[in-house]
Every structure is written in structure tokens, then in C-alpha cells.
Amino acid sequence: MAPSGRKHKGKAGKPAQEDQAIPAYDFQEERKELSGSEEDIREGETPVVDKHGKKRPLVTPHVVSDDVGQKLNHEYSQQFLTLFQQWDVDVQKAEEQEEKLVNMFRQQQKVFQQARIVQSQRLKTIKQLHEQFLKSMEELEKNNESLLAGAQSELRKEMAMLQKKIMMDTVSIVFIKSQLNAKIEHSIKSHLTFV
């Protein structure tokens, strides 16, 4: 990311040439008389006439380097501050993203847990239905067996009754037949005796 803030032209740390007071050695000025009071000239400073004709003290190299150092310090401080602010924003975004992911993970966990609960309940229901089906089949089989046994016993009873009836009918038929034969014989004998 490009650092936000002021944009600097040229190399950082070099002040514009207009701001610097560059003393030039003037051979003619040496011949002129110096004007100005002692107050104008402080210890370690030599007055310089700028291009507008105003006197101002000559800035010594250590002062210039202090100004440059302060400017550099200020510029880099601004860049570091911007960078740290961006870093804080990125960290905050990462934390928010992490929190969102954690929430999504928890929601997914809840969904999976609910799905597992539903599946286990359905599995229980399937097992119960299977057990009920097996019990119903066993009861149906028992009912069929008892019905079959009842029908077989009734059939045996009816067969026994029919056999008995057939026997009785056979006995009565034989008895009737024998009576008829006896009557026929008696009648034939009685006809023969008259003849």
C-alpha cells in the first residue's frame, strides 16, 4: 500500500534551494565597510545579505544538519505513523475476519450437531419400525398357525362325523338290503308254496 499523507518531490531530506542560505564569497564586499551593530552579529554567526537586501544571520552547518535531521525525522515519523496506522487497520481487519470465521465455524458445528441428532432420531425410528414389523410378522405367523390348527381340527371333526354318518348309512343300507332280500326270499317262497 502506498503511504497516505503528504507527497514529497525530489529526494527526502534535501531542503529546497530557496530555503537554504548559501553564502558566496564576494571579493568586492571585502572592501566595503561592514555596517550593523554588535547585536546583529551573534557569537559564531556571520550576517548574510539575502537577495532582497535584508541581513540575516548565516546558518551554521550544524544548524542546517539539525533542520535537515528534524525534517527527515518528521517525514519518517509521518511515514512510520501512517504505516503503523495501516498495520493497526490490517490487524483489526484480520481480527474481524478471524471472529467471522470462528462464528461461521461455530454455526457449522451447530448445524452438524443438529444433523447428527436428527439422524440418530431417524435411525431410532427406523429401528423401532423394524422391531414393530418383526413383532407384527411373528404375531401374524402365530395367528396363521392357530387359524390353520383350528381349521385342521374342524376338518378332522367334520371328517370323523362324515365317516360316522357314512358308516351308519352303510350299515342301514346293508340292513335295509338284507331286509329286502329277506322279504324277497319270503315272497318268492310264499309264491312257490302256492304253486
Side-chain angles (χ1 to χ4, degrees):
M1 286 187 188
S4 61
R6 292 182 290 159
K7 293 188 178 179
H8 303 288
K9 293 182 181 178
K11 293 185 179 177
K14 285 195 173 181
Q17 288 189 356
E18 290 177 12
D19 294 342
Q20 286 183 345
I22 301 172
Y25 188 77
D26 192 356
F27 292 100
Q28 293 176 355
E29 202 173 295
E30 201 175 278
R31 295 183 192 121
K32 291 179 184 175
E33 288 185 356
L34 294 175
S35 62
S37 65
E38 278 189 82
E39 292 176 80
D40 292 336
I41 302 170
R42 293 186 201 121
E43 190 179 328
E45 295 181 356
T46 308
V48 176
V49 178
D50 65 7
K51 57 185 170 181
H52 300 294
K54 293 182 182 177
K55 287 184 183 178
R56 58 185 184 136
L58 173 67
V59 180
T60 57
H62 74 276
V63 175
V64 171
S65 66
D66 283 351
D67 286 348
V68 171
Q70 283 179 353
K71 284 182 182 177
L72 274 172
N73 189 19
H74 179 70
E75 286 177 15
Y76 281 109
S77 296
Q78 285 298 319
Q79 288 179 9
F80 275 115
L81 181 66
T82 304
L83 211 89
F84 284 129
Q85 287 171 347
Q86 289 172 350
W87 188 0
D88 283 342
V89 168
D90 290 343
V91 166
Q92 190 174 0
K93 284 181 183 177
E95 286 174 353
E96 289 172 2
Q97 202 68 15
E98 182 184 359
E99 192 174 334
K100 284 180 185 177
L101 287 172
V102 167
N103 288 337
M104 285 172 55
F105 178 73
R106 285 181 183 154
Q107 288 175 351
Q108 287 295 324
Q109 262 187 331
K110 286 179 184 176
V111 168
F112 284 133
Q113 285 173 349
Q114 289 172 350
R116 280 175 61 191
I117 290 169
V118 168
Q119 284 178 350
S120 65
Q121 287 174 345
R122 287 186 180 152
L123 189 63
K124 278 183 184 177
T125 306
I126 289 170
K127 283 181 180 177
Q128 287 173 351
L129 284 172
H130 184 256
E131 288 172 3
Q132 287 176 357
F133 174 73
L134 289 177
K135 283 180 183 176
S136 298
M137 288 299 289
E138 285 175 8
E139 288 175 6
L140 183 66
E141 204 172 314
K142 285 177 184 175
N143 286 341
N144 285 342
E145 285 175 2
S146 65
L147 284 172
L148 185 62
Q152 283 177 347
S153 100
E154 280 184 35
L155 187 63
R156 284 188 196 124
K157 283 179 186 177
E158 284 181 18
M159 285 177 69
M161 285 174 64
L162 281 172
Q163 280 178 344
K164 195 175 181 183
K165 190 176 180 185
I166 289 170
M167 289 290 283
M168 288 177 72
D169 285 347
T170 304
V171 168
S172 64
I173 287 173
V174 169
F175 180 71
I176 291 172
K177 196 175 178 185
S178 67
Q179 279 185 345
L180 276 175
N181 282 342
K183 281 185 182 178
I184 289 173
E185 250 179 68
H186 182 54
S187 111
I188 289 176
K189 281 183 185 175
S190 65
H191 278 299
L192 284 173
T193 41
F194 284 120
V195 179

